[in-house]
């Protein structure tokens, strides 16, 4: 079977370190294994518009930011097709037919949609497009016949919804769509990286992010004002790791080689954690270490981004080419879908023959 990867991001802001550990880092690793027949990375502007209808300019401005972040992280247009969702009308058409396979109550049960509705204070005024975005996401995934979708934990309900649509479609209309597999981060801390404020998820919408393109001073400021254990007041007090964002970030970013480089008096993260829990290790020291780790991780990304920023027209050209290539694939899937549903009347010679026979026999 072909191996195809698809993932994407909403262009509602620059990408942050939550995206990086939740999905982006994995994409680049998978891309570089060379194991995939095709890789599609989608800038989901149409999805971003479902809750930004009155602010299309924000979405428009951020397309290039997301593309630059991709390139900065090492996504390579020679190996991965980067595309803009709204420029592929086939995706809308697929969504339209999938909508008939999903009930309103099923969408209402989607826990991610539920919490996002709450976060956005939509209450009774939920845009229909936003409510149905899990269906459009199923269209995105199936249009490219994706087999693997590397995403953060918040996307689990979306993948479940997609699988249900695939099963339903295939059982009603015959084997047509490919079932995708979700690929979650291996590390618990990366599943859903908390915000710098300690809130459950770093998210552009919550304004609690460290961006991939952030300058060193900003990173430092954010690290030093980060949420730790509120009961760890004096250095000698025992500290707790539970909900301690600084340690969660170390779990997500620390590599063994950072200890000899920045904190040689400790063997590894386990030793550092044990000392913190025992008491006698101050928050400032841990934050200083985390700052060094993040600076080391983000510096090469920031520098590469600056290189790509020098030729913006080339980035748009890359997006145009990627989108064109992706549209061909989506068009093929749409053709298969319509043939399976038998709504390909003009290509269906059998249908035309049958219908004319009905009248010539009279
Ligand atoms: P928005 O607030 O506009 O929804 P977002 O920050 O949630 O933005 P998305 O574009 O919705 O970002 O998510 C893109 C990808 O990044 C998804 O695969 C998602 O699972 C992953 N992701 C986003 N935030 C995090 C996080 N804090 N931890 C781990 N993965 C994340
Ligand atoms: Mg999101």
């Amino acid at each position: 079977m072909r191996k195809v990867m698809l993932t994407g991001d909403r262009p509602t802001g620059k990408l942050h370190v939550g995206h990086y550990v939740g999905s982006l880092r994995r994409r680049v690793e998978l891309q570089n294994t060379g194991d995939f027949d095709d890789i599609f990375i989608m800038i989901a502007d149409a999805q971003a518009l479902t809750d930004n209808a009155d602010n299309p300019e924000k979405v428009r401005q951020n397309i290039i930011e997301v593309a630059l972040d991709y390139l900065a992280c090492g996504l390579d247009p020679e190996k991965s097709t980067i595309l803009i969702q709204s420029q592929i009308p086939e995706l809308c058409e697929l969504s339209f037919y999938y909508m008939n396979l999903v009930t309103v109550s099923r969408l209402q049960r989607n826990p991610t949609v539920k919490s996002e509705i709450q976060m956005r204070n939509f209450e009774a005024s939920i845009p229909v497009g936003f409510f149905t975005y899990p269906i459009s996401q199923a269209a995105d995934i199936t249009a490219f016949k994706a087999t693997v979708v590397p995403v953060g934990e918040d996307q689990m309900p979306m993948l479940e919804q997609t699988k249900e649509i695939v099963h339903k479609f295939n059982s009603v209309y015959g084997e047509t769509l490919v079932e995708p597999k979700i690929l979650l981060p291996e590390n618990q801390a990366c599943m859903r990286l908390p915000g710098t404020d300690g809130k459950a998820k770093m998210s552009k919408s919550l304004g609690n992010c460290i961006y991939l393109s952030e300058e060193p001073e900003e990173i430092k400021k954010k690290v030093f004002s980060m949420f730790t254990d509120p009961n760890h007041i004096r250095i000698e007090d025992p500290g707790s790791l539970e909900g301690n964002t600084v340690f969660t970030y170390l779990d997500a970013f620390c590599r063994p080689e950072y200890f000899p480089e920045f904190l040689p008096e400790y063997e590894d993260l386990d030793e550092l954690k044990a000392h913190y829990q025992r008491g006698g290790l101050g928050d400032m020291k841990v934050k200083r270490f985390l700052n060094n780790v993040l600076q080391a991780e983000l510096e090469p990304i920031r520098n590469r981004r600056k290189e790509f920023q020098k030729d913006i027209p080339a980035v748009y050209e890359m997006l145009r080419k990627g989108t064109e290539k992706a549209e061909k694939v989506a068009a093929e899937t749409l053709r298969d879908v319509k043939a399976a549903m038998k709504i390909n009347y003009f290509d269906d010679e059998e249908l035309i023959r049958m219908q004319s026979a009905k009248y010539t026999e009279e």
Side-chain angles (χ1 to χ4, degrees):
M1 196 172 82
R2 283 170 60 77
K3 282 180 80 176
V4 181
M5 169 165 103
L6 173 120
T7 57
D9 306 272
R10 296 153 37 97
T12 48
K14 293 178 176 172
L15 297 183
H16 53 66
V17 295
H19 297 119
Y20 186 64
V21 297
S23 170
L24 211 42
R25 183 164 65 182
R26 193 63 161 294
R27 295 178 206 175
V28 176
E29 282 165 15
L30 292 175
Q31 167 195 272
N32 294 339
T33 60
D35 280 353
F36 284 83
D37 296 292
D38 256 323
I39 299 176
F40 296 96
I41 310 288
M42 164 180 290
I43 301 183
D45 63 331
Q47 191 190 112
L49 284 167
T50 64
D51 58 332
N52 287 285
D54 50 1
N55 199 358
E57 194 53 29
K58 170 167 132 191
V59 175
R60 199 166 92 106
Q61 293 293 331
N62 278 304
I63 287 175
I64 192 75
E65 303 298 342
V66 172
L68 285 166
D69 286 329
Y70 284 166
L71 296 168
C73 286
L75 284 175
D76 174 358
E78 295 291 318
K79 298 175 187 157
S80 298
T81 305
I82 304 177
L83 60 119
I84 304 181
Q85 184 187 27
S86 66
Q87 303 306 297
I88 304 190
E90 286 83 355
L91 299 175
C92 296
E93 228 178 311
L94 286 172
S95 303
F96 193 69
Y97 298 123
Y98 294 173
M99 281 190 191
N100 304 330
L101 306 176
V102 180
T103 64
V104 170
S105 68
R106 175 64 184 87
L107 285 175
Q108 279 166 336
R109 278 202 314 273
N110 184 312
T112 303
V113 175
K114 261 195 202 162
S115 73
E116 288 178 339
I117 285 172
Q118 226 172 22
M119 211 168 86
R120 288 163 176 76
N121 294 321
F122 278 152
E123 283 149 22
S125 54
I126 309 162
V128 173
F130 184 80
F131 182 61
T132 58
Y133 93 74
I135 301 175
S136 110
Q137 218 165 300
D140 302 336
I141 295 170
T142 54
F144 301 106
K145 303 187 172 71
T147 53
V148 177
V149 185
V151 282
E153 195 186 33
D154 61 317
Q155 293 301 309
M156 248 157 81
M158 304 304 158
L159 263 286
E160 277 314 307
Q161 179 72 81
T162 301
K163 282 190 201 170
E164 282 174 36
I165 290 174
V166 168
H167 288 163
K168 180 93 190 198
F169 190 99
N170 288 349
S171 71
V172 176
Y173 303 113
E175 229 20 71
T176 312
L177 302 176
V178 178
E179 184 178 314
K181 250 204 348 247
I182 189 168
L183 194 65
L184 290 171
E186 278 152 5
N187 177 336
Q188 190 56 39
C190 301
M191 293 265 192
R192 185 181 295 245
L193 193 78
T196 49
D197 54 358
K199 285 220 179 91
K201 184 176 173 262
M202 179 176 288
S203 165
K204 286 168 279 185
S205 317
L206 294 174
N208 55 7
C209 308
I210 296 178
Y211 293 96
L212 289 170
S213 50
E214 208 103 65
E215 288 297 328
E217 265 317 298
E218 258 322 285
I219 299 171
K220 191 169 165 195
K221 222 163 63 201
K222 290 188 177 177
V223 168
F224 280 91
S225 60
M226 230 152 122
F227 187 84
T228 58
D229 170 8
N231 298 317
H232 185 237
I233 298 162
R234 291 167 309 164
I235 291 183
E236 56 275 23
D237 291 340
S240 166
L241 304 178
E242 186 77 26
N244 190 323
T245 318
V246 177
F247 278 97
T248 310
Y249 279 40
L250 283 175
D251 278 330
F253 290 99
C254 193
R255 300 171 201 260
E257 61 266 30
Y258 289 139
F259 277 94
E261 197 177 346
F262 302 125
L263 206 57
E265 60 269 42
Y266 294 88
E267 193 58 34
D268 54 23
L269 200 50
D270 288 339
E271 202 182 311
L272 189 75
K273 285 180 181 173
H275 192 186
Y276 190 79
Q277 286 174 300
R278 216 167 44 237
L281 172 60
D283 282 342
M284 284 315 261
K285 187 162 179 176
V286 189
K287 284 184 172 175
R288 224 174 291 129
F289 178 51
L290 175 62
N291 178 52
N292 284 328
V293 168
L294 280 179
Q295 299 288 357
E297 291 280 313
L298 297 182
E299 187 189 87
I301 296 177
R302 189 174 55 241
N303 290 344
R304 264 201 307 272
R305 196 186 206 272
K306 284 185 177 152
E307 285 306 306
F308 287 110
Q309 281 168 202
K310 289 180 185 158
D311 194 354
I312 296 296
V315 180
Y316 277 107
E317 183 55 20
M318 176 281 286
L319 290 172
R320 194 179 61 76
K321 281 197 185 130
T323 304
E324 272 172 18
K325 179 178 167 198
E327 188 184 5
K328 291 200 181 85
V329 179
E332 234 169 72
T333 304
L334 181 63
R335 231 181 353 258
D336 294 347
V337 158
K338 287 175 124 175
M341 294 172 73
K342 296 194 186 299
I343 53 175
N344 57 340
Y345 315 114
F346 305 133
D347 299 333
D348 191 346
E349 283 171 19
E350 174 65 20
L351 171 76
I352 299 168
R353 206 165 29 242
M354 254 171 48
Q355 298 298 61
S356 48
K358 204 160 85 182
Y359 288 101
T360 46
E361 274 162 19
E362 275 174 3

